[in-house]
Amino acid sequence: MKTSIRMIGIATTFLWIFLISFFISAVYSVKDLHFNMSEPQMGVNQNNEVYFSLPITITNNGFYSIGSFMISTKILDENGFQIAENSTVVPVIRKGENTTAFHTVMVNISDLLQNSQVNYLVNDSEFLVKAAIGMSIAQIIPVQVATNLTVPWGAPFYNLTFGTPQYSDFNTTHCITTIPISFENHAFFDLNGTIQIKMYNDSDLLVGSGETTFEVPQHSPYNGIVEFYVSTTDLTETGYLEVYFLTPLLDYGPLVVSYG
């Protein structure tokens, strides 16, 4: 009986030694696990959706395979409002293996503009990206790390400016109104679409409307005009414009701009 108890004790001791040795070697193996997180890439897919892609290269020179490698990210605006999130899972990264995972998050720009007012439309800014990486060393021991990084945002209508309305006679009852428009496309994508303008007098009466189309390559300036007819009897020195932006990537409006 004493011999049996002694054998159980010896077996238990060896089991603990094995488990401790395994744990130490598994944790030590982490030092040979290397991550290379490249610069986030931004673009527009075939469905005219904006995406952020984060390439991560994992080199596993450790003693054990890595299981359930997962990266999850949350993208927040400058006010801390979450605008997108996604997760990417690599089931197994075997020892000695080099793997690159492309983690992609889609962003709805129209939703972003509604949450952050007009800021991202006309001002350069940045997004905060919260990234968390989790894995199982030897497919048993869970490990998790987290990091934050920022992604610059270039405004598609940076420094949007509406000039003073200019009037020229058309006939005895109407005139032609011309409104100059200028901006710079600081975005990472080409911009095309339509700008619509509705003009109201100081009594909130709609006196005229017009639109113009535009095509502006990325990092390029734009200077254009919108022309439309206005009844001279309804025209006042002061009033306001309602501006609408319609593009394949985003719709926004009205942006209210005073004149006079």
Side-chain angles (χ1 to χ4, degrees), residues 121 155-158 160 162 181-187 189-197 210-218 220-226 243-252:
L121 194 70
F157 294 94
Y158 177 79
L160 178 66
F162 295 90
I181 304 173
S182 64
F183 60 87
E184 298 175 20
N185 179 13
H186 284 189
F189 48 82
D190 296 339
L191 192 64
N192 64 84
T194 302
I195 297 178
Q196 298 177 344
I197 292 181
E211 65 179 44
T212 186
T213 59
F214 59 87
E215 292 185 10
V216 189
Q218 53 183 305
S220 299
Y222 171 82
N223 290 279
I225 60 172
V226 175
V243 185
Y244 298 83
F245 303 89
L246 307 175
T247 79
L249 280 175
L250 60 92
D251 292 339
Y252 184 83

Side-chain angles (χ1 to χ4, degrees), residues 84-157:
E85 66 175 329
N86 196 19
S87 297
T88 300
V89 177
V90 179
V92 178
I93 305 172
R94 305 190 185 282
K95 61 180 181 178
E97 191 173 74
N98 188 312
T99 300
T100 299
F102 290 90
H103 175 64
T104 302
V105 183
M106 309 303 301
V107 177
N108 188 309
I109 299 300
S110 293
D111 290 347
L112 172 65
L113 294 175
Q114 294 299 327
N115 292 324
S116 300
Q117 304 299 319
V118 73
N119 181 56
Y120 286 105
L121 194 70
V122 299
N123 294 321
D124 292 344
S125 187
E126 60 184 20
F127 297 127
L128 173 64
V129 179
K130 292 188 174 183
I133 297 175
M135 71 197 81
S136 296
I137 301 175
Q139 300 181 328
I140 296 175
I141 302 173
V143 176
Q144 187 172 40
V145 294
T147 186
N148 293 340
L149 61 152
T150 57
V151 177
W153 168 259
F157 294 94

Side-chain angles (χ1 to χ4, degrees), residues 10-254:
I10 293 173
T12 302
T13 300
F14 275 109
L15 176 61
W16 275 109
I17 291 174
F18 170 78
L19 291 176
I20 292 172
S21 299
F22 170 76
F23 180 80
I24 292 174
S25 65
V27 173
Y28 184 76
S29 180
V30 174
K31 77 177 184 63
D32 294 320
L33 185 64
H34 303 288
F35 300 95
N36 182 19
M37 191 175 295
S38 304
E39 188 74 19
Q41 301 172 4
M42 297 175 286
V44 180
N45 64 17
Q46 295 180 344
N47 296 323
N48 288 318
E49 298 172 316
V50 174
Y51 66 83
F52 291 82
S53 182
L54 188 64
I56 301 177
T57 300
I58 310 105
T59 303
N60 183 11
N61 291 327
F63 304 133
Y64 304 99
S65 296
I66 301 298
S68 301
F69 177 88
M70 182 179 73
I71 175 171
S72 60
T73 55
K74 295 181 180 180
I75 299 180
L76 290 75
D77 66 15
E78 61 182 9
N79 298 317
F81 182 86
Q82 181 175 311
I83 57 177
E85 66 175 329
N86 196 19
S87 297
T88 300
V89 177
V90 179
V92 178
I93 305 172
R94 305 190 185 282
K95 61 180 181 178
E97 191 173 74
N98 188 312
T99 300
T100 299
F102 290 90
H103 175 64
T104 302
V105 183
M106 309 303 301
V107 177
N108 188 309
I109 299 300
S110 293
D111 290 347
L112 172 65
L113 294 175
Q114 294 299 327
N115 292 324
S116 300
Q117 304 299 319
V118 73
N119 181 56
Y120 286 105
L121 194 70
V122 299
N123 294 321
D124 292 344
S125 187
E126 60 184 20
F127 297 127
L128 173 64
V129 179
K130 292 188 174 183
I133 297 175
M135 71 197 81
S136 296
I137 301 175
Q139 300 181 328
I140 296 175
I141 302 173
V143 176
Q144 187 172 40
V145 294
T147 186
N148 293 340
L149 61 152
T150 57
V151 177
W153 168 259
F157 294 94
Y158 177 79
N159 196 29
L160 178 66
T161 303
F162 295 90
T164 302
Q166 302 170 3
Y167 308 103
S168 58
D169 293 336
F170 177 70
N171 55 32
T172 56
T173 59
H174 289 77
C175 65
I176 300 175
T177 300
T178 302
I179 299 178
I181 304 173
S182 64
F183 60 87
E184 298 175 20
N185 179 13
H186 284 189
F188 55 85
F189 48 82
D190 296 339
L191 192 64
N192 64 84
T194 302
I195 297 178
Q196 298 177 344
I197 292 181
K198 295 181 179 180
M199 186 175 187
Y200 293 83
N201 63 16
D202 56 12
S203 298
D204 297 328
L205 177 66
L206 177 64
V207 296
S209 63
E211 65 179 44
T212 186
T213 59
F214 59 87
E215 292 185 10
V216 189
Q218 53 183 305
H219 310 302
S220 299
Y222 171 82
N223 290 279
I225 60 172
V226 175
E227 287 187 338
F228 50 90
Y229 297 102
V230 174
S231 171
T232 53
T233 57
D234 297 327
L235 191 62
T236 55
E237 293 185 1
T238 61
Y240 61 92
L241 309 173
E242 286 188 350
V243 185
Y244 298 83
F245 303 89
L246 307 175
T247 79
L249 280 175
L250 60 92
D251 292 339
Y252 184 83

